[in-house]
Amino acid sequence: MNVLEAYQIPILSLEDKVYQYSFTGNEEFFAAFEQEWVQKGEFNANATLDKSATMIQVRLVIDGHLKLICDRSNEEFEFPIHLDEKIIYKYSDHNEDMGDNLFLLDRKSPKLDLSQDLFDFIALQVPMKKLHPRFVKPLEEHVDGELIYTTDPEDDKNADQEPEMDPRWAALKKLTDNN
């Protein structure tokens, strides 16, 4: 049996109402995509499928972690993921990706395969620079979620003094001041 078949939902026999589905994934799921971007990790996904006569709306809530290799130390570490995404499938006479999580879905499609969408959402969580948590500076606690800009106190002392001018510029400035 193909590992990705577990992420397919039979939709032809569904009535127009809301359905709940749960999926789990691990290394076997990531290996099925034959790529090197994400190889290890585990996740739980809850899908809320709202079927109507003209479309299917799917809300995916994904929680889990990926095992990544730190770019700096080459150590493996767990990278937490939490996603809440919405996908809309509008019924049509053919399948087509319209972008921005909007798809045309052939009315005759017997199943809705969420495996690629799950993988894409998870893979997009992988940061460009993968750093072990010990290399990441913790964010300071902010009051009421506001971002507070702070400066180094040494910078305030130096702000009152004019920066020293390059002697070459100083010589040129003397020439312009004489006019």
Side-chain angles (χ1 to χ4, degrees), residues 124-160:
L124 285 172
Q125 294 302 300
V126 176
M128 291 296 284
K129 190 169 190 173
K130 300 175 281 292
L131 289 177
H132 193 282
R134 74 169 184 264
F135 296 120
V136 179
K137 293 180 183 176
L139 294 175
E140 295 179 23
E141 293 296 320
H142 302 295
V143 181
D144 298 326
E146 292 180 22
L147 178 63
I148 300 171
Y149 177 75
T150 61
T151 59
D152 188 2
E154 280 297 311
D155 290 343
D156 291 340
K157 290 178 190 173
N158 296 335
D160 297 336

Side-chain angles (χ1 to χ4, degrees), residues 3-4 26-35 38-40 119:
V3 173
L4 300 180
N26 55 23
E27 284 81 10
E28 290 178 359
F29 173 80
F30 297 116
F33 288 95
E34 298 179 7
Q35 46 72 46
V38 180
Q39 295 181 351
K40 296 180 182 178
F119 175 78

